[in-house]
């Protein structure tokens, strides 16, 4: 998608308010994306996504795991048909390779299946969802990072994925991948928020031109595994009161000022709008110092990816000690 312009009607001004970052493939990615991962996606999700497009959202995050690819694809088609955007090229769609398909030879077919569900010719970004592989009956197996990445590169060369990247990769795994990648990852999507700052991952990504995108930027508040560390933080409450903003806006603004992109999930029209209104004000140095005092804890531990048969025998191994 273009860094700016190309939008039609009243959405144009709003869309311009979400800035873009340039990926190492030369493509522009809006720094704020609409996260569609949810344990209970509503039946009217396509209408909510279309509403988000009208508000100015241009970046949509899905995955084969989420069961929301059809809803995203339907909304993309509706957005073009209704003139909310001039063409599909005005939208940025991310999807992800699930662990059952994280095997050499399975990557390209899995991408084609995702594209089929989305009704699209290409993805803007295709991510390896976890550095994990599973076989039939969900049994965990060794993960062939290089074999899977070679197939991701083929997806990129074929033009089916304009950019490719990873998710849930530790700093150590990023370094391993970067050492052999012919097409370097454009993005590493990881859990990141004021309560889990991901400094090591951010450092290795910054050195190598890889964009970090935060998932659970609000701590996955309300989900089974999520944390209250963001939305119920006393520090954020104080900063929010001082700035006249909401706690969620302070949390998202902090990520933006760190140079981290983010995919936030809200299926609520008011909160979708609120989450966009973070690009025309700043946190003070005092605010940021207070935020740095927030205790750190990873919420999404990935304990289900640890087993004696799989790649990782402990959480230490899964995260290379970065826990
Ligand atoms: P999140 O965005 O941190 O938090 C979502 C929760 O916050 C929802 O309960 C939402 O409720 C609420 N919320 C949103 N905006 C709010 C606001 N302004 N004020 C108060 N509450 C607000 O959590 P997430 O869903 O875990 O992460 C976002 C996206 O990241 C997912 O949807 C998915 O696309 C992606 N993700 C990726 C991975 C991965 O492994 N790569 C893992 C997890 C998530 P309402 O809907 O009611 O507003």
């Amino acid at each position: 998608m273009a860094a700016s312009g190309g939008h039609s009607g009243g959405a144009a001004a709003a869309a311009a308010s979400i800035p873009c970052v340039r990926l190492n493939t030369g493509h522009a990615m809006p720094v704020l994306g609409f996260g569609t991962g949810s344990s209970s996606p509503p039946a009217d999700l396509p209408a909510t996504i279309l509403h988000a497009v009208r508000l100015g959202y241009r970046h949509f995050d899905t995955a084969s795991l989420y069961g929301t690819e059809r809803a995203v694809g339907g909304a993309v088609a509706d957005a073009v048909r209704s003139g909310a955007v001039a063409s599909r090229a005005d939208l940025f769609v991310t999807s992800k390779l699930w662990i059952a398909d994280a095997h050499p030879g399975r990557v390209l077919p899995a991408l084609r299946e995702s594209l089929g569900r989305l009704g699209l010719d290409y993805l803007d970004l295709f991510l390896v969802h976890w550095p994990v592989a599973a076989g039939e009956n969900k049994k965990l197996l060794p993960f062939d990072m290089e074999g899977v990445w070679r197939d991701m590169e083929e997806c990129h060369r074929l033009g089916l994925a304009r950019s490719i990247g990873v998710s849930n990769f530790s700093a150590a795994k990023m370094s391993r991948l970067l050492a052999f990648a012919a097409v370097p990852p454009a993005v590493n999507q990881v859990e990141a928020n004021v309560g889990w700052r991901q400094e090591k991952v951010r450092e290795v990504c910054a050195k190598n031109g890889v964009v970090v995108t935060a998932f659970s930027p609000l701590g996955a508040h309300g989900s089974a595994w999520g944390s209250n560390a963001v939305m119920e933080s006393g520090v954020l409450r104080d900063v929010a009161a001082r700035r006249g903003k909401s706690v969620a806006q302070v949390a998202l603004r902090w990520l933006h000022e760190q140079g981290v992109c983010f995919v936030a999930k809200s299926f609520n029209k008011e909160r979708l709008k609120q989450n966009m209104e973070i690009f025309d004000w700043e946190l003070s140095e005092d605010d940021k110092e207070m935020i740095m005092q927030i205790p750190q804890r990873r919420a999404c531990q990935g304990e289900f990816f640890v087993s004696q048969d799989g790649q990782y025998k402990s959480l230490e191994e899964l995260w290379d000690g970065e826990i």
Side-chain angles (χ1 to χ4, degrees):
M1 72 176 282
S4 61
H7 303 296
S8 61
S17 71
I18 298 181
C20 286
V21 66
R22 189 70 61 186
L23 302 179
N24 60 11
T25 46
H27 295 287
M29 180 177 85
V31 301
L32 162 61
F34 177 123
T36 67
S38 160
S39 54
S40 50
D44 65 350
L45 184 57
T48 307
I49 297 173
L50 183 58
H51 176 81
V53 173
R54 294 206 166 102
L55 284 175
Y57 282 80
R58 293 291 179 269
H59 171 177
F60 297 91
D61 183 77
T62 183
S64 60
L65 175 72
Y66 301 164
T68 54
E69 289 177 317
R70 285 183 203 285
V72 171
V76 168
D78 286 348
V80 175
R81 205 177 300 124
S82 67
V85 291
S87 75
R88 182 265 177 264
D90 288 339
L91 300 171
F92 188 101
V93 178
T94 300
S95 194
K96 310 187 190 87
L97 177 80
W98 187 235
I99 61 173
D101 296 314
H103 305 278
R106 270 301 305 154
V107 179
L108 185 55
L111 171 56
R112 290 194 194 280
E113 287 161 21
S114 280
L115 289 172
R117 286 186 290 270
L118 283 155
L120 298 178
D121 299 333
Y122 69 90
L123 286 180
D124 293 282
L125 180 61
F126 188 37
L127 303 177
V128 178
H129 206 148
W130 282 85
V132 173
E136 284 170 22
N137 305 325
K138 301 186 180 170
K139 187 170 175 265
L140 296 173
L141 299 171
F143 173 63
D144 177 355
M145 186 192 291
E146 183 163 357
V148 167
W149 191 252
R150 295 292 175 229
D151 281 12
M152 293 292 286
E153 290 173 335
E154 181 64 7
C155 295
H156 174 66
R157 265 191 293 273
L158 291 169
L160 299 175
R162 293 208 162 161
S163 300
I164 51 175
V166 295
S167 179
N168 295 297
F169 271 45
S170 65
K173 285 187 183 60
M174 283 309 287
S175 298
R176 276 180 51 210
L177 172 58
L178 285 158
F180 65 71
V183 179
V187 167
N188 185 9
Q189 184 182 115
V190 292
E191 177 187 355
N193 53 57
V194 295
W196 187 242
R197 291 193 294 269
Q198 289 280 16
E199 275 146 2
K200 279 193 177 165
V201 168
R202 282 163 50 198
E203 192 187 331
V204 72
C205 286
K207 273 194 193 139
N208 291 281
V210 180
V211 167
V212 174
T213 297
F215 72 72
S216 305
L218 304 174
H221 183 65
S223 77
W225 55 270
S227 125
N228 294 333
V230 179
M231 294 305 291
E232 291 179 16
S233 158
V235 167
L236 289 199
R237 233 177 259 151
D238 289 349
V239 174
R242 274 213 303 264
R243 296 277 143 247
K245 303 293 176 188
S246 73
V247 165
Q249 286 174 317
V250 171
L252 298 178
R253 177 73 205 180
W254 179 82
L255 283 166
H256 184 53
E257 291 190 18
Q258 302 298 305
V260 173
C261 297
F262 40 96
V263 285
K265 175 260 162 188
S266 180
F267 298 155
N268 171 284
K269 291 182 178 176
E270 276 313 304
R271 292 192 280 281
L272 273 172
K273 182 165 175 294
Q274 185 195 115
N275 293 349
M276 286 178 63
E277 293 170 343
I278 60 155
F279 298 113
D280 59 353
W281 53 276
E282 286 178 14
L283 295 168
S284 70
E285 287 309 314
D286 275 0
D287 294 338
K288 283 184 272 195
E289 268 174 38
M290 283 173 66
I291 289 171
M292 289 300 281
Q293 308 307 317
I294 295 176
Q296 297 296 292
R297 185 184 160 271
R298 185 191 288 280
C300 186
Q301 300 267 331
E303 55 281 355
F304 20 82
F305 297 135
V306 170
S307 90
Q308 287 312 302
D309 310 315
Q311 184 74 32
Y312 314 106
K313 318 281 184 255
S314 66
L315 285 177
E316 279 284 317
E317 285 184 20
L318 174 61
W319 299 113
D320 301 294
E322 300 164 28
I323 41 178

